[in-house]
Amino acid sequence: MAKGRNSERREPIFDAFPEDEEEKPRRARKKKRTAKRKRASILSRLVYWVLMLGVWGAVGVSIVVAYYAAQLPPIDQLTIPKRPPNIAILAEDGTLLANRGDTGGAAVPLAELPPYLPKAFVAIEDRRFYDHWGIDPIGILRALVRDAIGHGGMEGGSTLTQQLAKNLFLTQERTLPRKIQEAILAVWLEHKYSKDQILDLYLNRVYFGAGAFGVEAAAQKYFGHSARAVSLAEAAMLAGLMKAPSRYAPNHNLAAATQRAAEVIEAMREQGFITGPMAELALAEPAKPMQPKAGGTINYVADYVMDQLDDLLGPVDEDIAVRTTISAPLQSAAEKALRDALAAKGAHYDVSQGALVALDPDGALRALVGGRDYAESQFNRATTAKRQPGSAFKPFVYLTALEHGLTPDSIRNDAPINLRGWQPEDYEHRYMGPVTLTTALAQSLNTVAVRLALEVGPANVARTARRLGITSALDVNPTIALGTSAVTPLELVAAYVPFANGGIAVAPYVVAKITTAGGRLLYLHEPAAGDRVIAPEHVAMMNRMMAETLATGTARRADLPGWPAAGKTGTSQDFRDAWFVGYTSHMICGVWLGNDDNSPTKRASGGSLPVVIWSHFMQVAHAGIPPAPLNGGVWMAPAAAPNVPIANAILNFFGGQGSGQAQPPASRATPWAPPMALGQTPRRRSYAPPPRDGEGDGLPPASIPNGGEASQQAARPFFGLF
């Protein structure tokens, strides 16, 4: 049994034996290789699909780019659009008055700008400007992400080159197609132009708000001087406008503009464009916008100049500079005089508008105000509005009477008159009886003016007015004596110039010279020897009569210390228009006041506010200039000859014929030469008085209704000057 037990067969049990020590590493390595192969397979598949997606994405992008590129003109035919021409309107001394044109200012080369000005734009708008090739992929991606999460249209991510491409070639719409075209054009610009050329184009084309395209227009608009002279703080404020011109405009939101400018300055310091002390100084003294000039009436001048350019040059296709005859200080003085008077008394007289024109004796326009506030109304009342001049037209009537043999001492009767139911009356509804022409004009007696118009003929009065410069249509009837035919302020003031310059007709002008931006002369005003339109003796007579208007007549409130002056007031029917045109040997100035709807004022007459405005302006215009006598002298009748009986003199005074011993009235043939002002040269052309033809509605003096014997001409001696 023992043998049998020992001989029993046993099967081996492998799990019971310990594992071979060398087998373990092999199995681990095998597992790692298997896992690695699996990972490699996944990675390779991922890489494959990424590559495939990239390829297909590139194909898709290429197709999209090609599609939108096809919407553009052929790249090889692209050219930079020509910048719209700018018209710089300059004062007589060369200072800028205004810019006209689509850009609002001239182009300024990059080299002429302060170095910190372009750097301000680079710092805040495109700090990688000098490193990229037209587009900034990171910036574009950032903008696309912002779009995707619902922040609105395409914003941000644009380089300066892209912004330039948009301004040069594309619209301002914010869409993906426009953004793609913008990127295509930016790459083309970078390929064709240098960085400095691109920056030059950018600074002179980008929009700064308020109608200003380009940094020069913006600097003039907001700071009142050229971009060549901007400070660091001003440069930062201009660069800050790019984010939102309307929101950061310093003249509308100074606080926001200042805060944005501080961000620009900090960006410039971070990028090393300026030093720390420069930044601190700019932050301590932020830019201040130019205070707008009240009403901006210089724009009336600019509009008038633009109207003249069509005749002088025709179409303008390049930047030009127009040197005018306007004096900037006088323009400001004219604006202030009109504005202050209307502010103080406009409501009292129920007057809402006015105009002022000032001319030199040669016709050069020195100041022109077409309304109280250009921002409220661009209608130029000085050059366009036609209003009745009232008694301001009477000098043409009296000049015609002088040319028909009368003198300032001739007697006419101030008495009621009735012409087929028309009964003109004097301002105060009282009559003075027999008066000299000097008194009649100084006191603006209507009945005498009408009698004179009838005596010489309304047609002759109209001819006289036209000879002196009135171009508007005139009603050739007795009412012409009272200024019922409408004229413009510029037209009326220009017609007074011959009274002031010794009798020479002029054509008013405002443009003295036109040059290109490079200095090439395009136009130069050539002074012309004007025609003599008033005989010298009649100039002296008119000076005598109109000087009396300021001494004792309707314009006695005029105040111009030390200067001999003359002029005439005017008030139209129902006080709708109030005028005063006055002159010295130095300047002629006219003022009109009224309402645009032609409604009556509250008894505003030519001797009230217009005379006050005239005085305030003329005091500034004559400041520092030595007083000078009126050109042509002033007529004064000599004392009666001692052999003339007193009774005969009295008879002559009241219109009788006398004994025939008194000297006859002055005639056109009487030789006479007025003293010349210093520096005055004889005119080349001679004067031929108009014929005395009875054309029109003229009647013999004795036949004028209600005229009586006092309407006969007094036989008075003529000559005498003082």
Side-chain angles (χ1 to χ4, degrees):
M1 288 194 55
K3 183 178 180 180
R5 192 171 48 249
N6 293 334
S7 62
E8 184 179 351
R9 186 175 180 274
R10 296 183 179 179
E11 296 291 333
I13 303 175
F14 295 101
D15 290 339
F17 290 97
E19 186 176 10
D20 188 350
E21 293 299 329
E22 295 181 0
E23 186 67 22
K24 291 181 179 180
R26 283 197 298 270
R27 293 176 63 111
R29 285 195 295 272
K30 184 178 180 180
K31 290 180 179 179
K32 288 181 181 179
R33 284 196 298 270
T34 303
K36 188 175 182 179
R37 283 195 298 269
K38 290 180 179 180
R39 286 195 298 271
S41 177
I42 294 172
L43 183 59
S44 63
R45 287 196 296 270
L46 180 61
V47 169
Y48 170 79
W49 286 110
V50 168
L51 289 174
M52 291 298 295
L53 288 174
V55 170
W56 284 109
V59 171
V61 169
S62 299
I63 293 173
V64 172
V65 170
Y67 173 78
Y68 288 112
Q71 312 303 314
L72 297 170
I75 292 296
D76 59 350
Q77 297 180 17
L78 277 179
T79 57
I80 299 296
K82 188 174 182 180
R83 192 174 189 269
N86 180 72
I87 300 169
I89 299 173
L90 312 177
E92 59 166 350
D93 60 359
T95 58
L96 181 69
L97 297 177
N99 281 299
R100 283 292 185 269
D102 293 338
T103 57
V108 179
L110 185 67
E112 297 180 14
L113 297 172
Y116 47 74
L117 178 57
K119 289 178 180 177
F121 288 83
V122 172
I124 198 65
E125 288 292 312
D126 187 5
R127 63 179 61 196
R128 296 182 59 250
F129 173 71
Y130 288 102
D131 298 323
H132 62 64
W133 36 273
I135 58 176
D136 184 357
I138 297 176
I140 293 177
L141 180 61
R142 183 172 58 248
L144 290 173
V145 170
R146 187 158 48 247
D147 266 0
I149 61 178
H151 280 274
M154 301 299 295
E155 297 180 2
S158 293
T159 64
L160 290 181
T161 315
Q162 287 178 267
Q163 295 179 40
L164 176 61
K166 176 181 64 177
N167 280 279
L168 291 178
F169 303 110
L170 303 172
T171 65
Q172 299 298 315
E173 62 178 345
R174 295 177 174 180
T175 61
L176 181 59
R178 198 270 295 160
K179 198 73 174 178
I180 294 171
Q181 292 178 327
E182 177 186 294
I184 296 169
L185 293 169
V187 173
W188 174 78
L189 285 170
E190 291 277 349
H191 173 73
K192 189 171 181 64
Y193 298 97
S194 69
K195 290 289 186 178
D196 283 352
Q197 288 175 320
I198 290 172
L199 198 53
D200 188 306
L201 285 168
Y202 175 84
L203 291 174
N204 284 294
R205 298 295 184 99
V206 73
Y207 182 59
F208 286 84
F213 288 85
V215 69
E216 173 70 6
Q220 294 286 357
K221 173 69 179 180
Y222 297 118
F223 306 120
H225 55 71
S226 172
R228 299 174 177 88
V230 296
S231 65
L232 174 57
E234 291 171 341
M237 191 167 284
L238 291 175
L241 283 167
M242 294 300 93
K243 185 175 182 180
S246 58
R247 187 190 315 164
Y248 294 108
N251 56 349
H252 294 303
N253 192 347
L254 181 58
T258 302
Q259 181 179 355
R260 178 65 175 167
E263 296 174 8
V264 176
I265 292 170
E266 287 295 340
M268 295 178 72
R269 175 162 53 183
E270 289 175 5
Q271 296 171 55
F273 290 151
I274 57 175
T275 64
M278 291 174 66
E280 292 173 4
L281 180 61
L283 291 171
E285 299 180 4
K288 295 291 189 295
M290 173 186 65
Q291 293 298 320
K293 297 177 182 178
T297 61
I298 196 62
N299 287 295
Y300 291 117
V301 175
D303 290 349
Y304 181 57
V305 169
M306 293 300 293
D307 291 340
Q308 308 302 305
L309 284 185
D310 285 340
D311 294 333
L312 298 178
L313 284 186
V316 176
D317 58 0
E318 61 181 319
D319 286 1
I320 61 173
V322 181
R323 183 75 67 97
T324 71
T325 59
I326 295 295
S327 164
L330 292 186
Q331 180 68 25
S332 297
E335 179 178 324
K336 185 177 188 303
L338 179 64
R339 185 184 69 247
D340 290 352
L342 290 178
K345 294 290 186 178
H348 174 76
Y349 286 104
D350 196 15
V351 172
S352 60
Q353 277 297 350
L356 184 149
V357 175
L359 295 172
D360 275 349
D362 68 347
L365 186 64
R366 306 291 283 154
L368 183 145
V369 179
R372 68 187 300 172
D373 191 335
Y374 185 85
E376 292 180 359
S377 171
Q378 289 77 53
F379 180 64
N380 194 334
R381 296 155 189 84
T383 62
T384 308
K386 291 194 173 186
R387 305 297 291 256
Q388 290 185 351
S391 295
F393 193 85
K394 288 178 180 176
F396 308 120
V397 178
Y398 281 75
L399 174 58
T400 308
L402 298 181
E403 292 173 344
H404 281 70
L406 277 64
T407 75
D409 281 350
S410 296
I411 304 298
R412 290 295 179 269
N413 195 28
D414 177 32
I417 185 172
N418 189 320
L419 297 175
R420 303 183 184 94
W422 179 52
Q423 302 180 53
E425 297 179 331
D426 291 336
Y427 175 73
E428 295 181 351
H429 304 291
R430 347 179 253 193
Y431 302 94
M432 300 178 66
V435 293
T436 65
L437 298 193
T438 298
T439 298
L441 183 60
Q443 300 299 326
S444 201
L445 304 180
N446 288 337
T447 64
V448 174
V450 172
R451 285 190 168 91
L452 289 175
L454 291 170
E455 182 176 338
V456 301
N460 285 326
V461 173
R463 271 196 287 272
T464 298
R466 294 201 181 285
R467 192 174 77 238
L468 269 63
I470 296 296
T471 58
S472 295
L474 298 174
D475 295 328
V476 184
N477 58 53
T479 66
I480 194 173
L482 304 186
T484 56
S485 299
V487 297
T488 69
L490 177 59
E491 181 183 4
L492 184 62
V493 174
Y496 268 66
V497 172
F499 296 129
N501 69 8
I504 308 302
V506 301
Y509 69 99
V510 68
V511 177
K513 182 172 68 173
I514 304 174
T515 61
T516 64
R520 179 167 53 90
L521 182 65
L522 300 177
Y523 168 82
L524 180 65
H525 176 77
E526 296 288 349
D531 293 330
R532 174 167 288 282
V533 292
I534 308 177
E537 63 267 30
H538 296 147
V539 172
M541 291 180 181
M542 292 302 301
N543 284 344
R544 169 72 181 90
M545 291 191 288
M546 286 200 278
E548 192 66 24
T549 303
L550 276 70
T552 63
T554 56
R556 57 186 174 274
R557 294 179 63 184
D559 183 18
L560 192 58
W563 276 89
K568 185 67 189 76
T569 58
T571 308
S572 68
Q573 189 174 11
D574 297 327
F575 299 94
R576 298 176 189 274
D577 305 277
W579 299 77
F580 179 61
V581 184
Y583 61 89
T584 66
S585 59
H586 175 62
M587 184 169 290
I588 306 92
C589 175
V591 178
W592 166 84
L593 296 179
N595 297 311
D596 284 341
D597 60 1
N598 204 31
S599 60
T601 66
K602 292 179 181 177
R603 301 185 67 81
S605 66
S608 58
L609 276 188
V611 167
V612 172
I613 295 169
W614 182 90
S615 298
H616 289 170
F617 170 76
M618 292 289 270
Q619 287 174 18
V620 176
H622 290 74
I625 302 174
L630 293 171
N631 286 324
V634 179
W635 181 90
M636 183 175 68
N643 62 342
V644 178
I646 295 177
N648 189 42
I650 295 174
L651 182 61
N652 285 340
F653 182 85
F654 283 102
Q657 298 301 316
S659 64
Q661 296 176 348
Q663 298 181 18
S667 68
R668 294 188 299 275
T670 306
W672 181 82
M676 288 188 179
L678 292 176
Q680 183 178 357
T681 58
R683 299 287 181 168
R684 293 198 299 266
R685 304 189 183 186
S686 60
Y687 168 71
R692 298 187 201 173
D693 57 25
E695 183 179 350
D697 294 329
L699 299 171
S703 302
I704 298 174
N706 306 315
E709 290 186 356
S711 64
Q712 299 292 328
Q713 176 183 335
R716 303 285 264 172
F718 164 59
F719 292 113
L721 295 173
F722 65 84

